[in-house]
Amino acid sequence: IVGADQATTIIDASAALVCGYLWTQDTYARISRHYSVEGQGAFWKTVVIPNIRSLITTFLVSLGGGLSDRLFSLYLCWTREENGEFILAFADLSACSQRSHVEAMESLIKLDKKASAAGRGTLTGIYRIMPLAKNVCRITFVSQGMLGGQIPSAVMNMRIKSTLGIVKRLRDKYERKDKEIDKEVRDEYSRPSPVSALTAEQREIY
């Protein structure tokens, strides 16, 4: 069963700051939130792949309702486009060609009884973070997942929507006053030339 969804919003922070937050998987705040949501036996591990803007992160999700847990291992990478847009994409661990790092993650999984016994799910997705002003950006997040096994579609859709919740958390985390943001966005627009600098034809139109 495959589920997919999309979320878009404006974030009151720079595109670089938002990308940095999404990229840094092993902060205390993010890990502690995962443990508070998933409860006892939660699992969250990260293996950084140096020099190629890539990492592997693995986490355990409890489905409840008598369903077996699911383990998701993601291969993440990021880039920055010429227009300043940041793109952060992730796919299943099987897409990673860095075998030594994949094996390092698999070793961590084997050491955890609950993680090693869980079924494997897959998640793919992409964040597009477009700067609108110095401290304002627009983020679009598209995600698709598959839990594997005989899982009700309602459970799959609920879990996909929960992954999109990070967009709302980002918006809430960096929320500022509307007037302050509006001013920053307006200041990014190029100001019109003064009338004295216009040609005769331009002044006539003006």
Side-chain angles (χ1 to χ4, degrees):
I1 297 173
V2 178
D5 215 332
Q6 174 177 324
T8 300
T9 194
I10 303 298
I11 307 292
D12 309 340
S14 70
L17 185 63
V18 171
C19 183
Y21 174 84
L22 293 170
W23 180 250
T24 310
Q25 295 287 310
D26 54 356
T27 63
Y28 174 79
R30 296 188 71 173
I31 294 174
S32 62
R33 182 186 182 279
H34 176 73
Y35 275 67
S36 68
V37 170
E38 298 302 333
Q40 187 176 8
F43 180 89
W44 182 296
K45 301 293 183 183
T46 299
V47 172
V48 175
I49 304 174
N51 304 321
I52 60 170
R53 296 180 177 179
S54 299
L55 60 79
I56 299 167
T57 189
T58 299
F59 53 91
L60 188 67
V61 171
S62 175
L63 301 181
L67 300 172
S68 60
D69 296 336
R70 287 296 185 272
L71 191 73
F72 295 91
S73 289
L74 309 182
Y75 173 49
L76 294 86
C77 56
W78 71 274
T79 188
R80 186 179 185 181
E81 300 294 300
E82 290 184 1
N83 63 357
E85 181 182 28
F86 287 87
I87 298 176
L88 193 158
F90 57 88
D92 185 69
L93 182 58
S94 59
C96 180
S97 61
Q98 306 294 315
R99 300 315 305 169
S100 62
H101 295 87
V102 172
E103 291 168 4
M105 177 57 77
E106 292 293 350
S107 296
L108 292 173
I109 294 170
K110 289 178 183 178
L111 291 173
D112 187 279
K113 184 177 180 180
K114 198 170 182 181
S116 60
R120 295 290 183 109
T122 62
L123 274 177
T124 58
I126 185 170
Y127 297 92
R128 303 188 71 101
I129 311 162
M130 175 62 74
L132 301 179
K134 183 178 180 181
N135 291 306
V136 184
C137 67
R138 179 179 63 247
I139 181 172
T140 299
F141 177 33
V142 181
S143 182
Q144 178 175 289
M146 185 163 58
L147 291 178
Q150 300 299 314
I151 303 297
S153 58
V155 175
M156 181 72 251
N157 291 333
M158 179 183 69
R159 274 299 171 178
I160 289 295
K161 287 186 180 299
S162 72
T163 65
L164 298 179
I166 192 169
V167 173
K168 181 181 183 301
R169 293 197 297 275
L170 276 167
R171 186 187 63 198
D172 295 344
K173 177 180 175 65
Y174 296 111
E175 187 174 17
R176 294 183 289 139
K177 294 181 179 179
D178 291 343
K179 289 183 179 179
E180 181 182 349
I181 300 161
D182 290 343
K183 181 181 183 304
E184 288 184 9
V185 174
R186 284 197 306 271
D187 289 346
E188 289 297 310
Y189 291 110
S190 57
R191 291 182 172 81
S193 303
V195 175
S196 59
L198 301 177
T199 65
E201 289 182 353
Q202 289 173 331
R203 284 198 296 271
E204 185 178 344
I205 295 172
Y206 182 80

